[in-house]
Amino acid sequence: MSHADPHPAPVPTQRLGPGGPEAPVFALGSWNIWDRMSREQRAELMQGAVDAGAGFFDVAYYNMGPHAEASRTDLLFGETVRELGLPRTAYQLCGKLWLWEYPETGFAEQMRVSLDRLGESGGSFDTVVVGDFMGELDVARVVHDVQRQIEAGAFASWGVNNWPASALQRALDVAAAEGLTPPSFAQLKYGLVRRSMAEGSYYGRWFRDGTLALQASDVFEGGMLVGELAPSRKIGADVGGIRERIVAAVPRVHEVAAELGATPAQLGIAFCLANPATANVLFGASSAAQLIDNLGALEVLERVGAERLRACTAEFWLDRDVRADGVWAPEL
């Protein structure tokens, strides 16, 4: 098995799309993460990420739509930052703007609440993800409202999460026509078993021509690909209904990882980074040991090479028959 050096070289960085921040290739998520750990574990993990150069944190207030959980994960994150005495320059923050209750709950209010809960009142995020909607949406209004928050200093760039391709094209068109800030990246479910959306004809073309960067998320399928076959926590949606096939493929994933001298987590992250479109990989880690193991994906990618990695994992593309335009809306 490949394991990361306890004192690895700093994590490399890439730009998170045109206009986006220069960010480490690893990003740590917060959904059902910080609230599953002890105070000591949170501090060790957060300090370890910062020390490794992977201090990019996706932190949101989960209390809208299907995430109406009144979660405390963001509060705990903020408390740990203060306990560690981390200066704001030591880490980057990616926030969330939810569309579930928009425009009734506007972006200015969402930003105020999120920053207050983090203990960053009057501060800002480095970037944000605008995400999760079904049905109708006034895309032009979203682009204008995002621009207002950029001009107010709440964040400098933005990306999208779970947008149908037609809506994203509309956002790009509005921004170009009116001189507004376009989205610079897309946060998509992407990994060994889910590739159709990121590599398909819609998002794939934007990644290939440099219009957007890819932020890979849910790469472990809620922990299933690394061995947690019956997660006790809430995990992401099963787009396309392929989860049974994923469970069946897990033993083979572990075999291939062992053949390549990697852990399953390292294989999953290295696969994502083998795609030139991937600017960073967003994952949940619940211990410093998991983070150290995940950092080893860089060594796996360098040693095995992108071409061989993709060849060895081709059999795991399980959503080939799932629509690649965003699933939730008609094609362009």
Side-chain angles (χ1 to χ4, degrees):
M1 288 296 172
S2 173
H3 296 282
D5 190 306
H7 305 287
V11 170
T13 63
Q14 295 193 66
R15 188 158 296 282
L16 198 54
E22 187 75 14
V25 298
F26 295 118
L28 274 73
S30 63
W31 187 42
N32 289 308
I33 296 297
W34 305 111
D35 47 359
R36 291 193 297 131
M37 304 166 65
S38 70
R39 176 180 175 181
E40 293 75 20
Q41 288 173 322
R42 288 193 294 272
E44 184 182 17
L45 175 56
M46 197 176 300
Q47 187 68 63
V50 170
D51 291 345
F56 186 101
F57 301 100
D58 182 296
V59 185
Y61 178 32
Y62 295 99
N63 201 30
M64 285 189 182
H67 297 306
E69 305 158 355
S71 171
R72 298 188 69 250
T73 188
D74 55 331
L75 294 172
L76 295 170
F77 174 87
E79 288 176 8
T80 306
V81 166
R82 293 188 292 277
E83 289 171 2
L84 290 172
L86 293 176
R88 183 63 179 82
T89 54
Y91 59 93
Q92 292 172 288
L93 281 176
C94 180
K96 281 286 201 313
L97 288 173
W98 300 112
L99 294 169
W100 297 105
E101 298 175 13
Y102 172 87
E104 289 75 19
T105 304
F107 292 163
E109 176 65 7
Q110 291 189 45
M111 285 288 92
R112 184 192 66 77
V113 171
S114 289
L115 288 166
D116 284 354
R117 288 174 62 87
L118 289 173
E120 296 278 352
S121 299
S124 65
F125 289 95
D126 294 276
T127 191
V128 299
V129 175
V130 181
D132 286 5
F133 76 90
M134 298 180 184
E136 298 298 319
L137 178 70
D138 186 342
V139 173
R141 178 171 182 171
V142 169
V143 177
H144 279 273
D145 285 353
V146 165
Q147 185 68 40
R148 291 187 185 95
Q149 291 306 300
I150 290 175
E151 293 170 357
F155 48 86
S157 62
W158 64 295
V160 300
N161 174 40
N162 292 342
W163 280 43
S166 55
L168 178 53
Q169 184 64 67
R170 171 67 173 151
L172 293 168
D173 291 345
V174 168
E178 302 186 34
L180 306 176
T181 305
S184 64
F185 66 98
Q187 183 187 100
L188 301 178
K189 291 170 74 78
Y190 179 64
L192 290 170
V193 296
R194 295 189 189 270
R195 312 181 189 182
S196 291
M197 195 167 176
E199 298 189 12
S201 60
Y202 295 94
Y203 275 90
R205 74 179 185 215
W206 291 312
F207 296 144
R208 287 189 293 272
D209 69 14
T211 298
L212 299 171
L214 169 62
Q215 184 180 69
S217 71
D218 204 11
V219 299
F220 302 143
E221 196 71 18
M224 299 177 74
L225 290 177
V226 295
E228 193 175 346
L229 297 183
S232 57
R233 65 183 178 89
K234 185 177 180 181
I235 64 174
D238 180 16
V239 179
I242 64 170
R243 197 148 279 161
E244 287 187 8
R245 292 156 63 189
I246 291 173
V247 171
V250 167
R252 179 60 183 151
V253 169
H254 288 217
E255 286 179 9
V256 171
E259 291 166 4
L260 295 177
T263 65
Q266 290 168 354
L267 177 63
I269 295 172
F271 166 82
C272 294
L273 293 175
N275 183 342
T278 304
N280 70 5
V281 180
L282 174 65
F283 56 78
S286 56
S287 70
Q290 285 185 1
L291 173 64
I292 291 173
D293 182 68
N294 290 355
L295 294 177
L298 293 170
E299 183 277 331
V300 173
L301 177 59
E302 181 179 4
R303 173 170 50 80
V304 178
E307 184 175 354
R308 186 182 173 208
L309 266 172
R310 289 190 64 87
C312 290
T313 58
E315 66 188 274
F316 302 128
W317 186 350
L318 301 182
D319 70 340
R320 287 180 183 272
D321 56 348
V322 177
R323 283 172 53 186
D325 65 343
V327 178
W328 303 279
E331 296 186 2
L332 290 167

